[in-house]
Every structure is written in structure tokens, then in C-alpha cells.
Amino acid sequence: MHHRTSRRTLLTATAATAVAAATGVVAVPGAAQASGTSTDSRLKRLIARMSLEEKVGQLFVMRVYGHSATAPDQADIDANLDEIGVRTAAELISTYHVGGIIYFTWAHNTRDPHQIADLSNGIQRAGLAQPTPVPLLVSTDQEHGIVCRVGEPATLLPGAMALGAGGSRSDTREAARIAGAELAALGIKQNYAPDADVNVNPANPVIGVRSFGSDPQSVADLVAAQVKGYQGAGVASTAKHFPGHGDTSTDSHTGLPSILHTRQEWAELDAPPFRAAVAAGIDSIMTAHIVVPALDPSEDPATLSRPILTGILREELGYDGVVVTDSLGMEGVRTKYGDERVPVLALQAGVDQLLNPPDLSVAWNAVLEAVRSGEITEARIEESILRILRLKSRLGLFRDPYVTHRGVDRTVGTREHLAAADRVAERTTTLLAHPGRLLPLSRRTHRDVLVVGADPASPSGTTGPPTTTLADAFRELGFTATALPTGTAPSQATIDQAVAAAAGRDAVVVATYNVTAASSQRTLVGALAATGVPVITLAIRNPYDIAHLAGTGYAASLAAYSWTDVELRAAVRVIAGRARPKGRLPVPVQRADVPAQTLYPVGHGLSY
């Protein structure tokens, strides 16, 4: 213990000395709270010391493989050499002087809390070992719900649409405060959350339950609550995806979506959550790779659109914080221009941070060349660098960029945080229909439960699979429960097997996942209900499933909005009567046969 403390003291002292030497800032607690002007003048002195290569590097936020900044596994070294031409995170920083690093699960950055903290510290040491020492901004996508990079034993919280169903600003703020405190303890100081998109299109393949809902004002309220929660915990919050990705049927990871809202519709539907984020003092806003012809007739993606990013976001909405692109590796931003033009056009549009280009060497050299040739002025990139350094200063990274194992143990996945997550989740489960008057399920009369349904891949390092998690939760409450996975497209043989397994049971719970008109999940529910055993359906992603289950004969139908453990366990407590259903639909559910008619409106939810 003593050894760790002295090591931390040494690290902190080294950081303080490096930063003081670089900026003339005496790195003592409270230094970052100095008046804006004096902070700016110090940061400008720091920028003046940077080479052009260091300046260009500050604009980039890059992925890198490995659990360690200096000693990753050989497979990760090979992947880094192949994709980036460097071996490690430390080498990435010394070669390209990147201003930030983004963590991904698939890049093996997020194995366990102590490892993440050590990786963050290694990254900061590399940043402060540069000719001009600058701490890095470590970021990740920790939206919670279906998009998460840091899994258990960190606290996993309900996602946006679940929080939208809970409808509580204080729960929503508390969820972000807990999530933010845990990220900060791991050295992750920028979170690409919350999602500020208003999900008005049920067919949206990329947003869906990542949105708080379909009502612009409700979404705006909950976005503001999360901004305050994250930033109150010392983490930069990032509203995404500007100017609004809610009404699209194309996934911008694989294509370039068009949003056909008029200027007036955009102002009424998409703008309110971003306005609320700006009013709440948000630190960063992420762009969308979408075309909005009403906002920019050139039909450039918003990420590369000066009328959208400078004209609307900066000038009309009055936002002067950091603007970060969505990943530059996504197809939506690459369809119209080559990879070497994209970063230059993004900077000309008004972007500050260039996130995760597919080929860093191509992107970095393109920006360097654009400055050298005068296509972009050095003054223009210095504006962006100043915004980035202001944010690093506000987050205390110049004061002390390091984290400790003790801080991790005190904060990450604590009993208090896990209990709060359970309480919040319990208030989100929505009872949509209850024709059989079966609930709450009593273990005296309906003790023997069969759980069938879909087991989609775990969204966030949860324990899963969902059918197992549900069966375990029933057993913990004194039921006898068996899990039988049937998948998202059960065959007739699988359906027959489920029907046979249901014989003699007291109830069947079916976990449904994105049911469509042609889905055999519907056939499964109908076949189980025909046995006479009461069937409870639980939508474990989109709440729209119920529209396709009409006429199948279920006894009760609920929505959980995600298949993370915290939401599944909460749904079981609601089904079993340990908690009452309090969630209300944050989106309307249209009839499957007549989509113009609403089956269940926003605000619908039953109780007992």
C-alpha cells in the first residue's frame, strides 16, 4: 500500500513538474479554477511552444489495440502495426502526438478496472514525455443500455430509452453521476453520451433504444439531466449526433442516411435536446454522418458541413465548446470524399476533434499538408486546439492526470452504485398489456417457470445470456425456473421443442427481440399460448415488438428496453410483484397492420 502511494506521489509530482515547465502553470490544486483569461493565456503559451506536427496531433482522437500502453499482447502489437504503423499506445503518442485515445472492448482496452486505470496512467505518462508535454483526453462510448465499453464489475445502468420510460430527471441525472464517477476513476474523462437524438422513426436501425424517446421536450429534459450528472462527476459529456439522427432508416455505419425534415421540423423535433445540452453547459457535441438537405443543400454529410456546424451549431445555437466527429471510419462520412479529404473538410466545417480515422497516417498527413499549403490556416487549427486544451484544463488533467487503484476500488461497482442501478431500473419496466390478469406472478400458484426466447450477444460485458439471466433472477425469488434458448428466428423444430418443454409448467416467459411481421418469434408465442400455459412476453430491446404479437394469445406483455442484467433482473422483480410496474412508453407503438394508427401512445403503461 505504502509503495503504491509513494508511486502515485512520484507520478503526480512528475506530472506537475512537466506541466509547470511547459505552461508556466504551477500545477497545484485549484490552479485549473483560475480565471478564464489567465488560463487561456497560459494555454496559448503552451500552444506557441508546439511544433506544427504536435498541433496537428492534438486534433486527433485515435483507437489503439492493447490492455497496456507499453506492453500489449503480441496480437495487439501486430494489429497496431497493421492498422497504425506503431506497436503501442505510447508509440502512437510519441509518433503522432494525438490529443486523445478512444477505448473499445474489441481493442482489448477494457478488461478490468485496475487494468483500465493502469492503461490510462500509461497513456498520460506517454503524453507528458513528449517534447511539449500535454495530457491526453481518454474517451469511450459508455451510453449504458445496449452501447457500453466498460462491463462488469463496473456498474451497468439502464440505457436511454429505459430512463425515458422511467421519466424521472433525478433518476436520469443520478445514473449519469454514477456512470461518470466510475469512468473518471478509470482515467476516462470524456464520455460520448448522452444520445440526444429524438427517435421518431420506429424503423431506425442505429438509434432506437439509444434515444430517450420520441417527444423532443422530454428528450431535452433528460439530456440536460445527464449532462449535469456526468459533468458534475468530473467527466466531459458529449451530446450526439448533431444535427439529429432520430428519423432515419439507414445506418450511418454502413451508408449515408438522409433526413428529410424541413427547417421548421428540424427546429421543432431535432433541435430542442441540443439546445438543452448547450444551455446545460455541455463540454462536447458529436456530429452525425447524415445529409439534411433543408440545412445544407450541398448534401454534404453534417460532419463536413460548414452551414450546419458553424452556421447552426456555433452561430445559431451559440455553442463554443468542443465539436468531435463521429468515427471517421464509418461509411456515411466516406461515401462522398476520400479519406484524405474528410479530415480537412471537417476542420473547415468547424470541427475540433477528428475521431478514429481509418488510416491515421493518411488523415494526419492530409491535415499537415493542408496547413503547410495554406488551405487551412495555422490560426484556424489553434482555435480548435485552444478549445481542446481548455477542456483538458477544466477536467483537471493539467493538475493531475493520474488515477489510482485505491480510487478505483472506492468508486467502481460499489454496493451503493449497484443498489442505485437496481432501484432506477425497477422504475423503468413497462407493462404494456395484461389481458390474462396474471400478474404479479405468485410463486404459490405459478412456481414453475419456463424461460425461452432470444439470446442476442451481450451488449456490454454483462453476464448473460438473457434467458439464463432471467431464469436465475426467478430462482433467486423462490421460483423453479428453466432456460431454453430459442433464438431470434426459431425453426419449427425449436418451436416444437419449446411447446414440449412448456407442458406441465405454470407459466412461460418469452424474451422477444426486434420482432417483425414475418418473424417466427411470433409463431413461437402463438404456439406456446395455444398449450393453455399462460405466456408472458418481455421485449428485451425495442418496445415495438408487441405490435407484431397481436392475436397470439399472450397473458401479459412487458418492455425492458435492453437485455443488460440490471434491466432483466428488474423486469423479473416487476413480474413477480417485488416491484410495481412504473414505466411509461417514451415512444408510441403503431399497429402492425395499420401503421398510421397508434396502438399504444406515449405515456401508456399499466400497473397493478
Side-chain angles (χ1 to χ4, degrees):
M1 197 65 241
H2 173 71
H3 168 70
R4 193 176 294 149
T5 312
S6 59
R7 183 168 158 273
R8 176 188 163 83
T9 313
L10 179 67
L11 290 179
T12 309
T14 312
T17 314
V19 174
T23 59
V25 176
V26 181
V28 292
Q33 277 71 49
S35 77
T37 342
S38 64
T39 301
D40 267 14
S41 58
R42 288 176 189 133
L43 296 174
K44 283 174 181 167
R45 285 205 297 278
L46 175 58
I47 295 168
R49 288 194 45 196
M50 291 180 184
S51 66
L52 182 56
E53 290 78 3
E54 287 175 317
K55 287 177 186 174
V56 168
Q58 275 303 303
L59 306 170
F60 284 94
V61 180
M62 190 59 184
R63 69 188 177 279
V64 65
Y65 290 88
H67 70 287
S68 155
T70 50
D73 294 342
Q74 188 59 47
D76 291 326
I77 291 175
D78 295 343
N80 285 330
L81 285 170
D82 183 47
E83 287 185 28
I84 318 172
V86 299
R87 296 165 56 81
T88 65
E91 207 175 296
L92 165 69
I93 294 160
S94 67
T95 306
Y96 288 102
H97 317 292
V98 291
I101 284 180
I102 177 173
Y103 286 173
F104 289 106
T105 315
W106 51 259
H108 312 133
N109 304 138
T110 57
R111 283 185 189 172
D112 68 76
H114 284 182
Q115 166 270 319
I116 298 170
D118 292 343
L119 173 60
S120 300
N121 284 343
I123 284 168
Q124 298 300 358
R125 273 196 295 279
L128 296 178
Q130 298 181 95
T132 311
V134 186
L136 276 85
L137 196 48
V138 175
S139 61
T140 200
D141 292 280
Q142 190 81 345
E143 293 174 21
H144 288 275
I146 70 167
V147 176
C148 252
R149 309 297 184 219
V150 180
E152 292 187 332
T155 306
L156 294 169
L157 293 129
M161 195 171 281
L163 293 168
S168 160
R169 285 188 221 183
S170 60
D171 278 359
T172 302
R173 183 173 180 163
E174 174 73 349
R177 187 196 63 75
I178 290 170
E182 297 199 6
L183 289 175
L186 299 169
I188 301 169
K189 300 290 289 220
Q190 184 175 25
N191 191 16
Y192 298 134
D195 192 305
D197 301 312
V198 180
N199 201 72
V200 292
N201 187 339
N204 194 324
V206 63
I207 306 301
V209 293
R210 297 168 60 192
S211 160
F212 289 108
S214 63
D215 176 68
Q217 197 46 55
S218 305
V219 174
D221 289 345
L222 298 184
V223 163
Q226 289 234 298
V227 172
K228 295 197 169 104
Y230 281 122
Q231 294 186 182
V235 165
S237 179
T238 310
K240 61 190 187 187
H241 307 81
F242 190 81
H245 209 317
D247 189 5
T248 169
S249 50
T250 304
D251 184 343
S252 49
H253 290 83
T254 52
L256 178 58
S258 278
I259 306 267
L260 300 177
H261 290 178
T262 64
R263 178 75 203 227
Q264 185 61 28
E265 285 170 331
W266 174 80
E268 288 169 10
L269 280 173
D270 302 292
F274 291 101
R275 288 188 186 280
V278 172
I282 192 149
D283 281 326
S284 46
I285 288 179
M286 179 179 283
T287 67
H289 305 324
I290 55 172
V291 165
V292 191
L295 304 185
D296 182 354
S298 79
E299 302 207 358
D300 279 343
T303 298
L304 310 179
S305 164
R306 189 167 174 85
I308 291 174
L309 298 186
T310 298
I312 296 176
L313 180 57
R314 294 273 190 229
E315 290 163 10
E316 201 179 299
L317 268 58
Y319 175 67
D320 192 39
V322 169
V323 174
V324 58
T325 69
D326 204 343
S327 169
L328 296 181
M330 289 165 62
E331 205 49 48
V333 79
R334 302 173 75 187
T335 52
K336 197 167 173 181
Y337 302 98
D339 287 340
E340 68 289 344
R341 290 305 297 153
V342 164
V344 175
L345 294 170
L347 290 167
Q348 289 176 332
V351 156
D352 301 306
Q353 287 185 309
L354 300 159
L355 177 62
N356 202 24
D359 186 326
L360 180 59
S361 170
V362 165
W364 190 85
N365 282 299
V367 174
L368 195 62
E369 187 46 44
V371 178
R372 285 192 177 136
S373 71
E375 187 184 3
I376 298 176
T377 66
E378 203 160 340
R380 163 65 193 90
I381 68 166
E382 286 177 357
E383 258 176 62
S384 285
I385 297 164
L386 183 58
R387 285 193 193 100
I388 293 162
L389 295 184
R390 269 184 200 140
L391 179 50
K392 291 180 180 183
S393 174
R394 199 156 60 245
L395 294 169
L397 287 166
F398 285 103
R399 197 169 64 244
D400 178 12
Y402 297 110
V403 291
T404 64
H405 286 190
R406 191 164 161 226
V408 169
D409 297 339
R410 241 192 341 244
T411 313
V412 177
T414 62
R415 195 180 292 121
E416 294 76 18
H417 285 180
L418 296 170
D422 282 336
R423 276 197 309 276
V424 170
E426 227 163 58
R427 296 192 273 265
T428 66
T429 307
T430 309
L431 178 60
L432 295 173
H434 196 196
R437 296 281 167 261
L438 174 70
L439 304 182
L441 204 62
S442 161
R443 61 181 179 191
R444 286 193 295 282
T445 55
H446 294 80
R447 177 182 288 270
D448 193 358
V449 178
L450 173 68
V451 178
V452 302
D455 279 336
S458 168
S460 53
T462 58
T463 53
T467 52
T468 306
T469 301
L470 290 164
D472 287 347
F474 275 111
R475 278 196 289 272
E476 278 169 32
L477 296 181
F479 291 81
T480 305
T482 311
L484 175 67
T486 50
T488 51
S491 64
Q492 191 55 52
T494 302
I495 292 170
D496 294 344
Q497 188 189 1
V499 165
R505 306 280 178 169
D506 299 320
V508 182
V509 173
V510 186
T512 65
Y513 183 89
N514 295 4
V515 181
T516 58
S519 171
S520 56
Q521 292 180 70
R522 179 190 155 81
T523 318
L524 170 71
V525 173
L528 287 165
T531 66
V533 176
V535 172
I536 300 160
T537 68
L538 177 67
I540 61 172
R541 185 167 178 166
N542 291 334
Y544 313 114
D545 288 4
I546 190 171
H548 296 287
L549 299 175
T552 53
Y554 58 76
S557 186
L558 302 97
Y561 307 98
S562 174
W563 62 108
T564 50
D565 298 7
V566 70
E567 286 166 84
L568 297 178
R569 288 195 310 263
V572 170
R573 289 197 298 281
V574 167
I575 290 168
R578 297 299 176 93
R580 295 197 179 285
K582 293 200 171 107
R584 300 286 178 265
L585 272 178
V587 290
V589 174
Q590 264 78 34
R591 280 179 55 166
D593 51 348
V594 192
Q597 286 183 23
T598 299
L599 180 62
Y600 297 114
V602 169
H604 170 79
L606 307 175
S607 198
Y608 42 78

